[in-house]
Amino acid sequence: MELVRLETPSAARDWCAQRRAEGRSIGFVATMGALHRGHMTLVRQAAQENDLVVVSVFVNPLQFNDSTDLERYPRDIEGDCARVEEAGGTMLFSGTLEGFFPGQIQADGELQPASLVDPGSAALGLEGEFRPGHFMGVATIVNSLFEVIEPTRAYFGLKDFQQCLVARDLAKARGNPTVVLCRTIREEDGLACSSRNLLLTLEWRDEAPVIQRALGATRVLWQRGERDAGVLRDFLAEGLGASALSVEYAAIRDPLAWTPNDPTGTLDQAVGLVAAKAGKVRLIDSLLLHTDGGDLGL
Ligand code: AMP
């Protein structure tokens, strides 16, 4: 079926409301575009589990705390449409900040504070610390998208682990939608698929898979019985130590009990999280150590 393309929240809201009134379930995947295999896996899963799939493509200025990063972020809306259609998407919604928040953008380009959504306690630490304001931007837009689309289920990728927790908490507070967390899709050498990979030079592209190797080795350590949070964290950091990447954090958290700071003592479940710069490109990745991503109970 040909993909429906809508650009205003009111058109998207009407379209979705009509489908819901017909009794159809809506799966939703929020993206910033430049879609790759990781995004497509979310779209395919949404297509399997729902009658219709809505994909949003919106490079959200609110979640960038670095204007160069926002300018350089890859964009390919025509390619995105083709990929979404091929993966079974029904409607692609591309909005603008002004469209979401008419009359609420200040002269400095920032959204007026009253329109911002609190991302909650999962936003504290790690990404929240290194990217101040990032999760406020994520929560604000995801909340608007949930309001417009009112999906039955929304799909998020575990690569952006903390974002999954923020989205889950937001959905819980609203009472909908059901948040489905999806495992990370990787390139053959282990590097997590990311729109930002397009920006890597050949040299940094060769270096970047060390992130997944360090996370994978830490999972092996877990599988061999190591449960001490500090030991796991040091091992993860050491795995990255020899690389040329500039590591912002290499951390361990209890995925079921998020803490802004490093946990101490033994853990019953754990996730390893890394953010590192490969030249000018900031990459993040995460790996659950205690499970291959089945039921997380999150
Ligand atoms: P983004 O366009 O980077 O904002 O990502 C949109 C959604 O796709 C988010 O829920 C991401 O976590 C998810 N995603 C991005 N990369 C991957 C990947 N390699 N595997 C699975 N999901 C991903």
Side-chain angles (χ1 to χ4, degrees), residues 250-294:
I252 301 291
R253 288 287 181 276
D254 182 335
L256 303 187
W258 186 262
T259 47
N261 299 317
D262 292 335
T264 52
T266 57
L267 298 173
D268 292 330
Q269 55 277 319
V271 57
L273 307 110
V274 173
K277 278 198 165 160
K280 291 184 178 148
V281 184
R282 187 174 186 277
L283 301 172
I284 66 168
D285 200 350
S286 72
L287 194 67
L288 288 158
L289 306 185
H290 62 285
T291 165
D292 69 356

Side-chain angles (χ1 to χ4, degrees), residues 122 160-170 181 255 258 298:
D160 303 285
F161 187 82
Q162 224 176 327
Q163 175 170 279
C164 286
L165 299 185
V166 168
R168 174 205 62 181
D169 290 351
L170 180 68
L181 305 182
W258 186 262
L298 285 171

Side-chain angles (χ1 to χ4, degrees), residues 3 15-16 19-20 23-31 39 41-56 84 87-93 145-146 148-156 177-180 182:
L3 184 72
W15 188 92
C16 291
R19 278 23 189 215
R20 277 197 312 281
R24 303 216 245 171
S25 59
I26 300 179
F28 172 52
V29 182
T31 82
H39 296 116
T41 310
L42 269 56
V43 175
R44 278 200 201 88
Q45 186 171 341
Q48 275 167 12
E49 297 175 359
N50 301 274
D51 298 322
L52 306 170
V53 180
V54 173
V55 177
S56 65
V84 168
T90 324
M91 189 265 270
L92 186 141
F93 171 49
L145 288 164
F146 284 171
V148 167
I149 293 157
E150 287 190 49
T152 318
R153 297 179 192 83
Y155 296 77
F156 291 87
T178 299
V179 167
V180 182
C182 306

Side-chain angles (χ1 to χ4, degrees), residues 30-32 36 38-39 42 156-157 159-160 163 183-185 193:
T31 82
M32 297 205 298
H36 50 65
H39 296 116
L42 269 56
F156 291 87
K159 178 175 87 67
D160 303 285
Q163 175 170 279
R183 74 183 62 204
T184 303
I185 304 302
C193 297

Side-chain angles (χ1 to χ4, degrees), residues 209-219 235-240 274:
V210 68
I211 298 175
Q212 192 275 340
R213 284 201 298 276
L215 286 165
T218 309
R219 177 145 84 179
F235 186 81
L236 176 59
E238 266 169 39
L240 293 161
V274 173

